[in-house]
Amino acid sequence: MIVLYVLLGILALLLLLLLTPVHLQARYDGALRVRARYLFLVFPLYPRPEKRKKTVKRAKRKRREASKAEPEKKKKKELSQWERLLREEGPSGLVRTVADLARLAGTAAGRILAAVTVDRLTLCLIVASEDAADTAVNYGKACAALYPSLAVLESAVRVRRRDIALAPDFLRRQGEVRGEIRLHVRPLRILWALLRLVGAYMGNTFKQQWNEQKALEGKQTERG
């Protein structure tokens, strides 16, 4: 009975960890800074912290490299799955498999993006140049590129709050860009999307093998 309680406790802890959101923050104000936060842990992603230099003796390094070195030349190279598929089914089978994988990956990517929630999106873009005519032209290009991109973003992910400021400045000689995005995602939803991707891939592969087996049996029946 104690073992059952321990297993239930472990499962409850894993479920709690999967339900705890992972927060990501990216900020640009002349320099880009990206960091992730999970529970009370903060991980700087960019710029990466400098690693401490470790002093390793040459003798130990040589022994380690010698222990890892293996006679790989004597091993026979096995055909990869793609090469085997190309030889067995030809280019049409390979193209069909790649198309199915692309379709499944696109569906999984849509589910993953749907699991992302943008808590805050801030962007301040000041368009400026030395010539006023160039400033007006660049401002029009910026509007044509920015607002459709925001529409695509909001159609793919949930945006709770956004603050967009785009304006021309005819007195400046150089533009300015500042921005920040804060988002979070629950690992459970990412895991569920990946599991569905694996399940769909395995089901698609099993269906293809089943159809090939039935076709082969049909050919053998016709010959017999």
Side-chain angles (χ1 to χ4, degrees):
M1 200 67 179
I2 298 178
V3 177
L4 179 60
Y5 288 152
V6 172
L7 291 177
L8 291 176
I10 294 175
L11 291 177
L13 179 60
L14 290 176
L15 181 61
L16 180 61
L17 292 177
L18 290 175
L19 289 174
T20 303
V22 178
H23 294 266
L24 181 68
Q25 178 186 7
R27 177 182 297 177
Y28 179 81
D29 52 359
L32 179 62
R33 294 186 296 274
V34 183
R35 68 175 185 175
R37 179 171 59 86
Y38 183 69
L39 294 175
F40 55 88
L41 302 176
V42 178
F43 306 94
L45 302 180
Y46 186 87
R48 298 287 297 177
E50 297 182 359
K51 297 181 179 180
R52 297 180 179 178
K53 297 181 180 180
K54 297 182 179 181
T55 57
V56 181
K57 294 182 180 181
R58 293 182 179 180
K60 293 183 179 181
R61 184 169 63 251
K62 290 182 179 180
R63 286 198 297 266
R64 185 171 61 252
E65 292 176 354
S67 62
K68 292 182 180 180
E70 295 180 355
E72 297 179 355
K73 296 182 180 180
K74 297 181 180 179
K75 297 181 180 179
K76 296 181 179 180
K77 296 182 179 179
E78 299 180 356
L79 292 176
S80 64
Q81 183 179 1
W82 299 105
E83 291 174 337
R84 185 165 57 252
L85 181 64
L86 183 60
R87 291 191 176 187
E88 292 178 357
E89 301 186 14
S92 60
L94 180 61
V95 172
R96 184 177 64 253
T97 302
V98 172
D100 292 338
L101 287 176
R103 177 178 56 83
L104 295 176
T107 303
R111 294 194 183 104
I112 292 175
L113 288 177
V116 176
T117 299
V118 177
D119 300 309
R120 183 178 181 182
L121 175 61
T122 304
L123 178 62
C124 178
L125 177 60
I126 299 176
V127 181
S129 62
E130 295 182 356
D131 186 41
D134 292 339
T135 300
V137 171
N138 293 334
Y139 174 72
K141 293 181 179 179
C143 291
L146 177 61
Y147 291 108
S149 301
L150 290 176
V152 173
L153 176 65
E154 292 183 350
S155 65
V157 301
R158 180 185 178 187
V159 180
R160 289 183 174 177
R161 179 184 176 185
R162 69 166 186 169
D163 184 9
I164 308 298
L166 173 60
D169 192 336
F170 296 96
L171 300 179
R172 291 190 180 186
R173 294 185 176 182
Q174 187 176 2
E176 183 180 357
V177 179
R178 298 192 308 272
E180 181 183 9
I181 183 171
R182 296 182 181 181
L183 56 88
H184 75 271
V185 62
R186 299 185 187 277
L188 182 61
R189 299 188 64 179
I190 302 295
L191 180 61
W192 177 244
L194 295 178
L195 289 177
R196 293 185 64 177
L197 173 63
V198 174
Y201 175 74
M202 294 179 63
N204 191 24
T205 303
F206 178 77
K207 184 179 180 180
Q208 290 182 358
Q209 293 177 354
W210 175 263
N211 293 335
E212 292 173 0
Q213 184 67 24
K214 297 297 288 185
L216 182 61
E217 292 178 358
K219 292 181 180 179
Q220 293 178 354
T221 303
E222 291 177 358
R223 293 178 182 177

